[in-house]
Amino acid sequence: MEKTFESKLDPVTFEVLKNGFSNLVDQMAEQILRTCYSFVIYNRDFSNALCDAEGNTIMQGTQDIAVHVGTLHFTAKAVLEDFKDDIHPGDVFLINDPYRGGTHFNDVRVLRPVFYNGKMIAIMQSCGHWADMGGTVPGSFDVSSKDHYGEGVRIPPTRIWHKGEYLDDVANLLVSNMRVPEERLGDLRAQAEATKVSEQELLRLVGKYGVDTVLTAFDEVQDYVEQLARVKLRDLPDGTWETVDYIDMDPELGDGLIPINVKMTIEGDQIYYDLDGTHAAIGCFLNSSFGAAFSGLYAGTKTLFPDIPLNSGFYRVIEANLPEDTVVNAKWPVAVTGFCSGPYEKIMNACFELWSYVVPERALACSFNLEYLLIGGQDKRSKEDSFFMWYDWMAGGHGGRIDRDGANAISPVFGIGLSVQPCEGQERLTPVVTSKHEIITDSGGPGKYRGGCGIEKGGTLTNVDDSVISVCCDRSRSVPWGLFGGLPSYPHGTWLKPEGDDEQFLGAFFSGVSIKEGDSFTRPSAGGGGLGDPLDREPGRVLQDVIDRYVSIERAKKDYGVVINEVSAELDQYTIDDAATKEMRQYIGTNRELWLQEDMHYVGELFKKGEINQLDLIRQYGVLIDLTTGDVLEKSTQQFRDMLHKRSVAYWG
């Protein structure tokens, strides 16, 4: 239904309060940065929100993480639902329950209701990723978990301050089931204090403008965002678009990519998403509860409309069907901690693709997958509490865009506000030394506009005992795809003891692998998929990529058909062989569809013999193999080839 935004406030007051709400949420962020105990939270794995008395999001922070913001209204409403009229000034609540609208157990929300003259007028909410919530492995990321009991402490709406009195027995009960409990308590206090700071700022605004004016602004900020979104939608064509993205596998099923179907319909000024046909919940923790899946749809849509603020007004224009008991709406007690590397970014990237058809001037190919690496054990450098947690995520490449290359080595679409953790800080806090942190040549997907490059990060353990390593990731098989003719990028995965005789490929997700002092590891992050036919990329741009070490001479020839001769690598002197380039591009154009029809087992044998490499498998032949066994993945390969035909081959020549 069309609705016209008519403010009851004068324009100046409306703008001042709208920006004042944003400022008070950002003040929460500044408070947390100065008082948190966890290095994870310090590197901005947190978000904040101002909610109204009904739990609706009024304003988020300017650097908040998308997945948090898109779920904070759910957890606010869960607290209101459980405590109803039993909420008082000075109360503070905790919740991390993903089955009540949260994300995963590590994302702990602290909520402070705000009262004025005895009436609740707002809720301040701070969400921080706690580095450990208990469970079977340090960091609480156990990929083998099938239910939530192996993932840590589940906190339903719980009162932690009552009328201003700190309930230390409740807090101690919770953190006693977590590793490094003192750090958890420190983060709890930091988040609670942040909500107090924003409470004071809101009451200052109430004192200056009056409570009725502020509450009117709460409503109108939401109405304003809703109206902005609806105006944008009315200018777009009605229609239905559909696509599918994949999780790598279900460990219980083995071979076979796990489909997430996303259908989008625009009718007038309303968006409808239907995820019917998505795979059932799988036998590991790469599932999502409904809140995180909704957030993926919100964030995936919002990315295409960067000029519209994000609050509950934006959520009104989006309706969705998330089938129950699927990977996008898993029910208690199905494990969901790995949602962040599983369905969430698949939903976002699927939205990017669908909106690329509707708003082609903002087209974006697939971006790399969020990856968490966790090492926990005993730090022999410490004489006191010696348990340590090394909790790391990486930058990577975003997809190629309609008129430019994708961004290199950037935060994941999961949360652009995330900071890359400084190696020096990690080494001071934990007995892990970073041995490598560099951009990976050839990791960006080939295209007229190349995908951004990923990075490789390696480390070595020093003074440790009784340590284990875990990784939460995906896209070792569902490699980030190209769009409008572009090609895939580079697979994720982790290697233990790299380049040694006992080198071991651990895959893109595993947990609880024992490691000892002196062991090393390395893992790449993928680049983004390419956009547009690689044979249409200007040879001069390919040459520049070679000079910048983004593309190798070998892959310039194989992926782009550009033949480059090295004059002096030290002086960055190279030349393009124009005649050979013309011939090579004709050769690739004639044969590339045939290569994708080549017998997959024959291609697998070529790989085993060393006649082709992994990028040849993926980009030229569309063949996926199990790197631990060398076996061709028949079902996954067929799904991968089908994807290539839809997103790439259909746009060639």
Side-chain angles (χ1 to χ4, degrees), residues 6 25 32 66 82 114 119 140 150 155 163 220 258 299 304 336 351 395 400 404 450 514 610 632 653:
E6 295 180 358
V25 179
I32 288 172
D82 283 15
V114 179
K119 177 183 178 182
S140 311
I155 308 173
K163 298 181 180 179
E220 293 195 354
I258 304 302
L304 276 295
V336 296
C351 288
R404 67 195 70 185
R450 174 182 47 76
S514 295
V632 172

Side-chain angles (χ1 to χ4, degrees), residues 403-421:
D403 60 353
R404 67 195 70 185
D405 295 339
N408 299 315
I410 194 172
S411 298
V413 295
F414 169 89
I416 297 299
L418 279 174
S419 300
V420 175
Q421 298 182 43

